[in-house]
Amino acid sequence: MKPAPASGSASTIMTNTAQHTTPDAASGDPPLVVDLDNSLLCTDLFIESVLRLLKEQPLYLFLLPVWLVQGRAFIKQEVSRRVTLDISAMPFRRAVLDHLNRCRTAGRRLVLATAANRRYADQAAEHLGVFDEVFASDGTRNLKGAVKASVLVQRFGREGFDYLGDSVSDLAVWRESRCTLVVNPTPSLERKLAGTGGISERFTDSRTGVGEYLRTLRLYQWLKNLLIYIPALTSHQVANPEILAASTLAFLAFSVSASGVYVLNDLFDLEDDRRHPRKRLRPLAAGAIPLNHAVIMAPALLAGGLLLALLVNVLFFWVLIGYLCLTTAYTVVIKRMVLLDVLVLAGLYTVRVLAGGAATGIAISFWLLAFSVFLFFSLALVKRYAEVLTFDTAGNGTRISGRGYRGDDRWTLLGLGLCSGLMAVLVLALYIHSDEVRAIYETPEVLWLLCPVLLYWISRTWLLAGRGELMDDPLLFAVRDRASYVVLAVVLAVMTAAS
C-alpha cells in the first residue's frame, strides 16, 4: 500500500471534545498520540522561535522575561505571533516518520499532541498530512505534562491511546497510556519508566554522541587563532619561554571563546544553514544535539574564555572583549550587510594579531598592521566569493540566503579580492626596502624572495576559488593544502637566511 505523503494538506484538524473513542476498526489499535518537540522533530520550536525573534529584533530580549512571568503558554503565544518558522525545513526524525507512515497505511488514527504553540503545531500537521487531530498550547494553556495527560484522558479515556514522547515531562502522559513509545531515552528516564510497565518501543539516533558536540565547537577553527603567535614570530621572540607561554594561554582563551561564538552563530543561523548545501549538515541545523544543550554551551564557553584571558593580562582581556562584541555584531546584524561583512571579517583576523601583541607586550608595527589589513581583506573576500559561487551555480544572479549578495556580485568580489591581495604584496615590498627591516635582519635583500612566493599563494588561492575547489575558510583550506605547506616552508627558510 502507498505510505502517507511527507507533505501536502493535513487531514481535518479537530478541536477537543469530551467523548471517548474506541480502537480503530481498520487497525485494531487505539490512536497513536505523538509529541512534536524533540520527538517527531529533532529540535525545539519554542527555542527556535525565541532565537529567531532575537535575531530579527534583539531588543525583545528585555520583553521576554515580562512575558514569561505571565506563564509559558503566554510567552509562546506572544513569540509565535511575531515569528514565522519554516517547518518544512526542520529536521524531522526519520525513524518516527517511517513508523507513522506504517501506522497510517494500516489505517490507524494518528494524533499530534504538543506543548508547542497551536500555530506551529498546525503548520507541522499540514506539512506532514498524516494527523487526524491536533492538540497544542494556546495563549492560556501550556499543553505539557499533567495538563496534556488530562486532555488526552478526557478525549480518549485511560489507556485508550498509545503515546510517543521523549522526556521526563511525558511521564504523566505515559502513566495514562496503553503503550509507551520513547525517543532517545536517557538511563534516568528508562529507570523511571520501568516502574510504569517499561518501554514498548524505542527510537534511538545512533548519530548523537560526543563527536557531534565536538563538531559544534568547530575545533578546526582554532587553527585561525595561531595568528596570535605572529607578533612573537615576526619579532624573533617565539623561543622566549615567557613570550611563548603568554601566546599559548592567549591562544587557548581566544579558541574557547571562539567556540562559544560559533555555537551562538549556529543557534541564530539555524534556518539559513538548513538551506545551505553544506551547512545543513552542521549538528545544530541537522538536529543532532538538543538546542537546550547548545543554549547552555555558548555562555559557558564564553565565560571560560574570559576567565583564561584574565590570567594573561588586563589589556588582552579587553582586546578579547572587543573581539567578542565585534563578532557578535557580525553574527546578529553585519553578516547580512554587503561588503561591510567582509571588512569586519578581515578585522576579526587582524584583531587576533593585535591580541598576540597585547598578550606578549610586543608592539605591533605599522608594516605588520598594514600587511595584515590588506591580506585578510583579500582572504575574507575569497571566502565570500566561494560561498556566492556555491549558491549561484547556474550563474543567474540568485540571491544568497542570509546574505546581502547576489550571484552576479562574484565578479566585484573577485576584483576587490585580487587587488587587496596584491596590495598586501606591495606593503611587504615597501617594508623590505624600509629602514626598520635592517634592525632585525642582517641581509634583508634575501627577503625579496618572499614577494613572488606570496604572489603565487594569493593568485593560486583565487584561482582555486574561481574553479569552485575552495569551499572553506582560506586559512583552514591552507592547513589541508600541500602547496601551502611548501610556501610556508619557503617563507621560514627565507626569513632564516635573511637573519
Side-chain angles (χ1 to χ4, degrees):
M1 297 179 67
K2 183 179 178 181
S7 61
S9 60
S11 304
T12 304
I13 304 215
M14 302 176 61
T15 56
N16 301 346
T17 63
Q19 67 185 34
H20 293 176
T21 60
T22 57
D24 293 301
S27 65
D29 291 318
L32 174 59
V33 181
V34 182
D35 184 34
L36 185 59
D37 291 336
N38 297 314
S39 296
L40 177 55
L41 278 173
C42 302
T43 187
D44 186 298
L45 294 178
F46 175 62
I47 296 178
E48 289 222 12
S49 60
V50 170
L51 291 170
R52 182 69 181 273
L53 178 66
L54 294 178
K55 179 179 180 179
E56 297 175 350
Q57 300 289 338
L59 293 180
Y60 271 105
L61 176 64
F62 302 102
L63 193 54
L64 288 174
V66 178
W67 291 343
L68 183 59
V69 169
Q70 301 177 66
R72 292 187 66 85
F74 184 83
I75 189 174
K76 289 178 181 180
Q77 179 78 2
E78 292 301 311
V79 173
S80 67
R81 285 176 51 206
R82 294 165 173 81
V83 176
T84 299
L85 296 177
D86 183 4
I87 302 295
S88 64
M90 299 278 180
F92 285 86
R93 211 173 293 279
R94 176 49 55 188
V96 176
L97 271 181
D98 290 343
H99 182 74
L100 295 183
N101 281 329
R102 289 192 296 270
C103 291
R104 187 69 171 178
T105 300
R108 189 174 187 183
R109 189 175 187 80
L110 299 177
V111 178
L112 182 65
T114 174
N117 184 262
R118 162 69 63 171
R119 180 186 181 192
Y120 300 141
D122 287 348
Q123 288 176 358
E126 183 177 2
H127 170 66
L128 294 174
V130 298
F131 293 106
D132 300 284
E133 291 184 75
V134 173
F135 299 93
S137 297
D138 51 33
T140 58
R141 181 184 65 181
N142 186 40
L143 198 74
K144 188 173 183 178
V147 176
K148 182 188 289 189
S150 176
V151 168
L152 293 177
V153 169
Q154 183 183 15
R155 177 70 177 91
F156 303 110
R158 291 200 65 184
E159 298 190 2
F161 63 95
D162 295 342
Y163 182 70
L164 187 153
D166 70 282
S167 68
V168 174
S169 64
D170 292 317
L171 283 170
V173 186
W174 278 315
R175 292 190 186 101
E176 306 293 346
S177 67
R178 186 194 67 158
C179 291
T180 298
L181 294 85
V182 189
V183 174
N184 291 334
T186 62
S188 174
L189 180 58
E190 291 203 44
R191 287 193 296 270
K192 292 177 180 178
L193 286 172
T196 62
I199 298 174
S200 305
E201 189 168 356
R202 69 184 71 218
F203 302 85
T204 305
D205 291 335
S206 59
R207 62 179 178 170
T208 302
V210 176
E212 298 298 333
Y213 289 90
L214 293 178
R215 283 184 59 207
T216 303
L217 297 181
R218 292 194 228 174
L219 300 181
Y220 64 90
Q221 294 279 7
W222 288 23
L223 294 170
K224 292 192 291 188
N225 296 324
L226 291 174
L227 294 171
I228 287 174
Y229 289 93
I230 292 295
L233 182 64
T234 55
S235 64
H236 300 269
Q237 299 185 63
V238 72
N240 184 316
E242 292 183 3
I243 296 294
L244 184 59
S247 297
T248 301
L249 188 57
F251 168 80
L252 291 174
F254 243 79
S255 298
V256 172
S257 300
S259 287
V261 172
Y262 291 133
V263 175
L264 189 65
N265 181 73
D266 286 352
L267 285 170
F268 279 116
D269 280 355
L270 288 170
E271 189 167 314
D272 291 331
D273 285 351
R274 287 170 185 151
R275 297 193 184 105
H276 194 281
R278 289 179 295 106
K279 294 179 181 180
R280 62 185 176 82
L281 301 177
R282 287 177 175 174
L284 287 176
I289 63 175
L291 289 185
N292 58 334
H293 290 190
V295 169
I296 296 172
M297 286 168 59
L301 289 166
L302 291 172
L306 291 174
L307 287 175
L308 288 173
L310 284 174
L311 297 177
V312 180
N313 60 53
V314 175
L315 178 59
F316 174 78
F317 173 82
W318 285 111
V319 172
L320 181 56
I321 288 288
Y323 168 83
L324 293 176
C325 291
L326 187 59
T327 194
T328 300
Y330 173 81
T331 297
V332 177
V333 179
I334 298 174
K335 70 186 303 180
R336 297 187 293 276
M337 303 173 71
V338 174
L339 294 183
L340 184 60
D341 64 330
V342 287
L343 282 169
V344 172
L345 196 58
L348 292 173
Y349 287 130
T350 307
V351 167
R352 290 175 168 91
V353 178
L354 296 175
T360 58
I362 298 173
I364 305 298
S365 70
F366 160 80
W367 296 107
L368 178 57
L369 188 60
F371 175 78
S372 300
V373 167
F374 286 113
L375 179 62
F376 294 143
F377 186 55
S378 179
L379 297 181
L381 284 164
V382 79
K383 179 180 180 180
R384 192 65 68 240
Y385 173 86
E387 188 174 40
V388 170
L389 194 65
T390 299
F391 263 98
D392 193 44
T393 53
N396 55 8
T398 304
R399 191 170 186 84
I400 311 305
S401 176
R403 305 289 185 185
Y405 296 93
R406 299 190 314 234
D408 48 9
D409 289 334
R410 64 183 182 275
W411 305 114
T412 303
L413 297 175
L414 174 63
L416 289 173
L418 283 171
C419 289
S420 183
L422 297 178
M423 286 292 291
V425 180
L426 177 60
V427 170
L428 176 61
L430 293 174
Y431 167 69
I432 294 171
H433 190 64
S434 68
D435 294 332
E436 288 89 335
V437 76
R438 299 186 181 279
I440 303 176
Y441 297 93
E442 292 186 6
T443 54
E445 294 80 10
V446 177
L447 294 176
W448 281 105
L449 294 173
L450 295 178
C451 292
V453 172
L454 186 60
L455 279 171
Y456 165 78
W457 186 80
I458 292 173
S459 302
R460 180 175 176 273
T461 299
W462 277 98
L463 181 67
L464 294 176
R467 292 177 176 177
E469 298 178 17
L470 194 154
M471 308 298 293
D472 298 315
D473 185 295
L475 289 181
L476 299 179
F477 169 79
V479 173
R480 297 189 293 270
D481 179 46
R482 290 184 179 180
S484 296
Y485 280 106
V486 174
V487 167
L488 178 61
V490 172
V491 168
L492 295 176
V494 168
M495 291 176 64
T496 303
S499 300

